[in-house]
Amino acid sequence: MRKQHLLPHAWQWVGLVALVAGLVLGFTFFVPSVIRGDYGTGEGIEILGELSYLLLLPLSAIILCFSRENIEDERIDELRKKCLVTTAIIFVILLIIGPLKGFFMGRLCSPTFMGKYQLLFGQSWWMLFVYLLIFKISYWVQNKRYSDEK
Amino acid sequence: MKNNIRVERARQRMTQQELAERTGVSRQTINAIEQGKFNPSTVLALKMSLVFGIPVNDIFELEDGD
């Protein structure tokens, strides 16, 4: 990934604000509504929940994933590529075991639970957060490992 | 790939931070290269060669397994 394709570092603050707003709105409106089972029935304030889950969280994930770090050099470039490959492998594994998971969950869980699970965790943009988690942890570990001058 | 960056730095009384600033990378990256954990690109190797004023071959050398 070339650094000129990334957003400036300051955008990470925009992403963080969007993430916090998305989480607060999501856990206040969307998640309780899905768990209660009244999501999609037209009752309650659905627009705020949808705003968080369909707009703020994916948007914050995109901004946080594709904005530059403080110093974005070729080591960080390589780290990004490695983390992207790891995330892609996880995604492919999840795709492969998806039908298997559906088969067993279909027999073990009720269709209502399956619906709720799909609404909360079935969004493909969750993979952006997986990438973000892998990248941030690796970034922190590498910087800590190489921070002592010998 | 082996490198003599630490030796050259010591010879020229240069800190990792100074070398990092002059080559446009972070100090952690210089540290990772010195420890042999990260192989620099050709561009970065040439920049180091310019900073030290010696050929790239004198800074980096291939090992048997490379």
Side-chain angles (χ1 to χ4, degrees), chain A residues 73-75 146-148, chain B residues 16 26-27 29 31 37 41:
Chain A
D73 58 21
E74 55 189 67
R75 180 176 58 89
Y146 301 133
S147 61
D148 295 330
Chain B
Q16 284 184 343
S26 66
R27 191 178 61 74
T29 299
N31 200 349
K37 303 284 184 190
S41 66

Side-chain angles (χ1 to χ4, degrees), chain A:
Chain A
M1 184 178 296
R2 289 186 170 276
K3 59 185 168 190
Q4 57 260 39
H5 294 148
L6 298 170
L7 293 165
H9 178 63
W11 277 75
Q12 290 210 354
W13 290 106
V14 179
L16 267 177
V17 170
L19 176 68
V20 171
L23 285 175
V24 168
L25 285 176
F27 278 100
T28 313
F29 298 104
F30 187 76
V31 177
S33 166
V34 170
I35 290 171
R36 278 196 311 269
D38 59 10
Y39 179 77
T41 57
E43 292 170 18
I45 315 167
E46 288 188 348
I47 187 74
L48 287 175
E50 283 175 356
L51 181 77
S52 75
Y53 230 64
L54 301 176
L55 183 75
L56 285 174
L57 284 180
L59 193 71
S60 69
I62 290 169
I63 293 173
L64 288 170
C65 284
F66 301 109
S67 53
R68 296 173 63 170
E69 291 304 320
N70 235 345
I71 296 179
E72 188 83 23
D73 58 21
E74 55 189 67
R75 180 176 58 89
I76 305 301
D77 241 28
E78 198 172 296
L79 188 65
R80 278 187 191 279
K81 283 176 198 155
K82 281 181 185 168
C83 295
L84 269 176
V85 169
T86 309
T87 312
I89 290 170
I90 292 172
F91 192 61
V92 168
I93 290 171
L94 287 178
L95 273 180
I96 292 169
I97 64 168
L100 208 64
K101 186 186 74 185
F103 177 80
F104 284 110
M105 279 185 78
R107 272 147 190 80
L108 296 171
C109 311
S110 66
T112 320
F113 177 84
M114 288 279 283
K116 289 175 183 176
Y117 175 85
Q118 197 60 29
L119 260 173
L120 290 174
F121 302 110
Q123 320 288 342
S124 53
W125 51 259
W126 273 112
M127 292 317 291
L128 286 173
F129 283 110
V130 172
Y131 162 76
L132 195 63
L133 194 71
I134 295 171
F135 174 69
K136 289 290 179 186
I137 291 173
S138 313
Y139 179 79
W140 182 78
V141 168
Q142 270 209 7
N143 275 359
K144 199 169 168 56
R145 187 184 298 157
Y146 301 133
S147 61
D148 295 330
E149 184 162 355
K150 288 170 185 166

